[in-house]
Amino acid sequence: MTTYPIPVTDRSGPALTDAQDRRRKPLARLFLGEREDARWLRPAFWALLAVTAVVYLWDLSVSGYANSFYAAAVQAGTKSWEAFFFGSLDSSNFITVDKPPASLWVMVLSARLFGFSSFSLLLPQALMAVGSVALVWGTVRRTLARVGTTTANVGALLAGFVVAATPAAALMFRFDNPDAMLVFLMTAGAYCTVRALPRGSWKWIALAGVALGFAFLTKMLQGLLVLPAFGLVYLFAARTTWGKRVIGLLIAAGSLVVSAGWWVVAVWLWPAESRPYIGGSTNNTVLDLVFGYNGLGRIFGGSGNGGGGGGMTGGTAGGSFGGSTGLNRLFSSEMGLEISWLLPAALIALVVGLVVVGRRHLADPARAGLVLWGGWLLVTGLVFSYMSGTIHPYYTVALAPAIAGLVGTGGALLWHARARFVGRIGLAAMIGITAFWGWCLLNENPTWLPWLRWVMLAGGLLSAALVVMGSVPSLRKLVTVGVLAGTLFGLSGTTAYALATTTVAHSGSIPSVGPAGSSSGGMGGGGTGGMPGGTGGPGGSTSGSDDGGSDSTSDSQQGPGGTPPEGASGEAPEMPDGTSGTAPGSGQDGTDDATSEGGSGTGLQTGGGGEGASTSSALQKLLEASDAKWAAAVNGSQSAAQLELDTDTAVMAIGGWSSDPAPTLAQFKAYVADGDIGYYVSSGSGGGGMGGGSSTASAIQEWVAANYESTTVGGQTVYDLSSTK
């Protein structure tokens, strides 16, 4: 019969009655902690959440509508429950966005509750940052409970702070891409997995499956990259029999399939002619997204996935796409700035932490925590490092909880083992390498806070030296001083860069981190300096443009035809809530992504108000006066999205985001014959941009030009589809 350690949490039984009697009531325990806890521990936790909320909510509308592609879908969802369910780009339900709709559901509900605005659009993401910090705190605290109350709480506080102070998190938790919800759900899955361990609870592990199921409905297969780590931890660390562990995993698998599959089945059963086209697919099915463009295509490359392996950056490690594949990808260029500040420390914490726990029982909570966070980091990190399909730097936000969990868990374990040489040398290595790598990162943007990198380097190395000197018995107190100082110096770089990221307006399809005025090769708002070996940043080239590394600058705003959108003004349109600022969807560098998160196509969207340009007032008035089902049709989702936001009308996106085969020429003719489309907004010579470069789009434009009179509205060529030649 197997003997398991006494559970740390969820205790029950007569022997614990006295301890239970000493516990505070649930509400008091929530705010004040246990009676045995130091008085400052739980207030420190609430202070961490409060600071996170203030930082992430402050001036949240500075980015306008952020990514206009998703913002338009949210706007559509506030007008149509069918658009809400499918994730349609337009309220008349012609085509969906190229992702499942879970992240849109939350934003739509917020917009329906508070009214559609920049703030209501981005509010859920900021709140998810607070929730993710709390979940990481709770997960780390439970896995460290046997180490000691104070040590466990301090490690948990450190982990929560690291999440909030990660530049990628500061970027994506104030943006409307799906990644914020993806991270929140995966973190919730980690918390539920740890809650399931003390008694092998099938209910908690089933909830972990539900969380990952909805992560699938947020960003498909990326949400399942943490699955191996969660399953491994439950299988070996749950305190129950082997048979019940297997049954628990089977229940979790069932809950995952149900929570992920119900929407897929619903779409599959829904008659295709009465629902929107599934954007990003080649055959109007969700499964094509799963196994093609949005799933395996991201990992192995293929149709619609041309950004990996340095495909868009000439093979160099930099630019808007992932750069060259390899173990150094996460440390290079924009990816390094977004996620790698504490990545070396996390890897050290994983290795040395496992050494410290030694031969403890497999069910040891601290070991389980290391395996959970370490498995998350290694599997996801290796996939990101070697993906041959489309990958953007901001994807790395998915690594933030794992890095934070390892730093908090491993750091606490090494501190607890500071009397041993392995504990002291591990702490010194974490501090010293973090200081050096932070210096390297900050050195790539030398004009921004030039003193910070030197303070971080000198302070960190000195702190590491103090920890090592503490090996001398008479100098043992230096370990405490070194660890406290080293923690402050080590966190200074990532914290400063994260704070700088929150003060910059971010927009476009590939936002980037850092202070205002710096630039990488990426497309979208908020650029930063490059990385060692990269191409962007001060002193580097900006060859990360989507034309495959042409010599044109990132300010060109050139579309596929080499010309900027006609009739587009550079002014930022007023928001529905009366605010203004950066034009929704516009990047600081004036360029945009060739793919929503990786669709095919090249160059900036041309046509009616592409990414980075607002619609002229004359064109706005024309479309607002239309009573057709779709006020206009235009090539590509990005142009359609901007028109929708500017005019508050439904616009048909011909070709969707990634040159989808919708509509066909025959279908378009039928729509026109039925009076469903008011105007056709020209995209220049033959279309172009996201979704606009297909032969079908060109054929539609040629047919319209041959049969309908054109007029110029606000400098834009527009065809009235109710009046033939």
Side-chain angles (χ1 to χ4, degrees):
M1 180 176 180
T2 305
T3 301
Y4 299 95
I6 297 174
V8 177
T9 57
D10 302 325
R11 298 176 178 177
S12 61
L16 299 176
T17 300
D18 293 341
Q20 289 176 335
D21 288 343
R22 291 195 303 269
R23 301 190 74 185
R24 289 190 170 106
K25 298 298 182 181
L27 187 61
R29 193 163 62 247
L30 175 65
F31 289 98
L32 301 176
E34 300 289 356
R35 296 184 189 277
E36 296 81 7
D37 293 351
R39 292 184 177 181
W40 60 271
L41 288 175
R42 192 55 63 95
F45 163 68
W46 287 109
L48 173 62
L49 295 190
V51 171
T52 302
V54 169
V55 171
Y56 278 71
L57 289 169
W58 188 267
D59 200 17
L60 188 59
S61 297
V62 67
S63 295
Y65 290 132
N67 188 341
S68 61
F69 179 63
Y70 293 116
V74 172
Q75 183 188 55
T78 62
K79 299 179 178 182
S80 164
W81 285 112
E82 183 177 348
F84 166 84
F85 178 78
F86 288 107
S88 299
L89 181 67
D90 61 280
S91 57
S92 293
N93 294 291
F94 170 69
I95 196 168
T96 71
V97 298
D98 61 346
K99 297 289 181 294
S103 65
L104 297 175
W105 292 338
V106 180
M107 289 186 281
V108 170
L109 293 177
S110 174
R112 281 181 174 266
L113 180 62
F114 300 109
F116 180 68
S117 67
S118 172
F119 184 82
S120 66
L121 174 74
L122 302 177
L123 175 63
Q125 282 69 250
L127 295 180
M128 287 175 195
V130 180
S132 297
V133 169
L135 288 168
V136 168
W137 173 87
T139 305
V140 171
R141 188 177 66 93
R142 285 179 171 273
T143 59
L144 290 173
R146 294 183 66 193
V147 177
T149 301
T150 300
T151 301
N153 277 274
V154 171
L157 288 170
L158 175 61
F161 183 86
V162 169
V163 174
T166 301
L171 176 68
M172 297 315 297
F173 281 109
R174 289 167 55 90
F175 208 72
D176 55 347
N177 277 21
D179 299 78
M181 186 168 181
L182 174 72
V183 172
F184 174 76
L185 290 170
M186 292 191 299
T187 308
Y191 176 79
C192 292
T193 299
V194 168
R195 286 297 302 266
L197 299 182
R199 291 186 295 181
S201 170
W202 65 267
K203 295 179 181 179
W204 279 108
I205 198 64
L207 286 176
V210 172
L212 294 189
F214 277 91
F216 175 88
L217 291 183
T218 300
K219 213 172 176 187
M220 294 195 166
L221 294 185
Q222 187 179 336
L224 304 183
L225 292 179
V226 297
L227 187 60
F230 293 1
L232 186 66
V233 166
Y234 184 82
L235 181 62
F236 286 100
R239 293 187 179 94
T240 186
T241 63
W242 284 100
K244 290 183 178 180
R245 297 180 205 180
V246 173
I247 292 174
L249 288 178
L250 291 176
I251 293 174
S255 66
L256 189 157
V257 170
V258 171
S259 57
W262 68 271
W263 183 81
V264 177
V265 173
V267 175
W268 175 57
L269 294 176
W270 203 297
E273 61 274 10
S274 62
R275 62 163 171 79
Y277 185 91
I278 303 302
S281 70
T282 59
N283 58 4
N284 198 16
T285 66
V286 176
L287 289 180
D288 183 67
L289 283 182
V290 176
F291 296 105
Y293 163 68
N294 250 353
L296 298 180
R298 298 276 166 147
I299 299 175
F300 301 109
S303 177
N305 280 282
M312 290 296 176
T313 58
T316 58
S320 62
F321 291 85
S324 302
T325 58
L327 291 176
N328 67 331
R329 178 186 262 184
L330 295 178
F331 297 91
S332 302
S333 193
E334 175 68 14
M335 280 193 177
L337 287 166
E338 295 203 6
I339 201 61
S340 74
W341 298 84
L342 296 173
L343 180 54
L347 294 173
I348 293 171
L350 173 61
V351 174
V352 184
L354 289 174
V355 172
V356 167
V357 298
R359 297 183 178 180
R360 294 183 189 179
H361 195 280
L362 286 176
D364 179 70
R367 183 200 299 276
L370 289 173
V371 173
L372 183 144
W373 299 120
W376 178 335
L377 176 63
L378 293 178
V379 173
T380 305
L382 287 173
V383 170
F384 285 174
S385 296
Y386 288 98
M387 280 175 61
S388 297
T390 300
I391 179 172
H392 299 315
Y394 65 79
Y395 287 13
T396 57
V397 69
L399 298 173
I403 292 173
L406 285 173
V407 170
T409 304
L413 287 172
L414 297 184
W415 169 257
H416 187 68
R418 63 190 180 280
R420 298 163 55 186
F421 177 75
V422 66
R424 293 191 299 274
I425 200 66
L427 288 170
M430 289 178 65
I431 294 170
I433 292 179
T434 297
F436 172 74
W437 183 240
W439 178 85
C440 292
L441 294 170
L442 292 171
N443 201 46
E444 289 299 314
N445 197 0
T447 60
W448 180 74
L449 298 182
W451 55 268
L452 179 60
R453 65 185 187 276
W454 294 108
V455 171
M456 182 179 182
L457 178 64
L461 293 181
L462 178 60
S463 299
L466 292 178
V467 175
V468 174
M469 290 169 61
S471 298
V472 179
S474 61
L475 301 176
R476 191 59 53 88
K477 292 184 179 180
L478 292 179
V479 176
T480 302
V481 176
V483 170
L484 291 176
T487 301
L488 294 176
F489 287 118
L491 295 176
S492 62
T494 183
T495 303
Y497 224 76
L499 288 173
T501 299
T502 65
T503 64
V504 177
H506 300 283
S507 52
S509 301
I510 314 179
S512 53
V513 298
S518 52
S519 176
S520 70
M523 303 302 180
T528 66
M531 292 303 308
T535 57
S541 65
T542 56
S543 61
S545 61
D546 291 337
D547 59 5
S550 69
D551 293 331
S552 60
T553 66
S554 60
D555 296 324
S556 64
Q557 292 195 17
Q558 289 186 347
T563 58
E566 298 177 55
S569 68
E571 299 177 357
E574 184 175 331
M575 304 299 169
D577 59 355
T579 62
S580 61
T582 303
S586 63
Q588 285 185 339
D589 58 4
T591 63
D592 191 54
D593 181 16
T595 59
S596 157
E597 288 184 29
S600 62
T602 56
L604 177 69
Q605 181 71 33
T606 59
E611 187 80 76
S614 58
T615 308
S616 66
S617 58
L619 184 57
Q620 287 187 41
K621 292 179 180 179
L622 181 68
L623 299 188
E624 288 168 355
S626 173
D627 59 358
K629 186 176 182 179
W630 290 281
V634 65
N635 289 346
S637 288
Q638 206 68 12
S639 289
Q642 193 64 55
L643 279 174
E644 289 179 20
L645 292 172
D646 290 343
T647 64
D648 197 26
T649 62
V651 177
M652 177 181 289
I654 298 173
W657 190 281
S658 52
S659 297
D660 300 328
T664 64
L665 178 59
Q667 289 172 331
F668 186 83
K669 290 179 178 179
Y671 285 130
V672 174
D674 292 339
D676 289 336
I677 307 174
Y679 300 92
Y680 178 86
V681 182
S682 175
S683 296
S685 55
M690 285 69 73
S694 67
S695 58
T696 300
S698 298
I700 289 174
Q701 181 157 308
E702 292 172 1
W703 177 78
V704 170
N707 292 275
Y708 295 89
E709 294 287 350
S710 66
T711 185
T712 300
V713 180
Q716 182 71 44
T717 301
V718 178
Y719 295 86
D720 184 350
L721 299 182
S722 64
S723 177
T724 59
K725 285 185 177 180

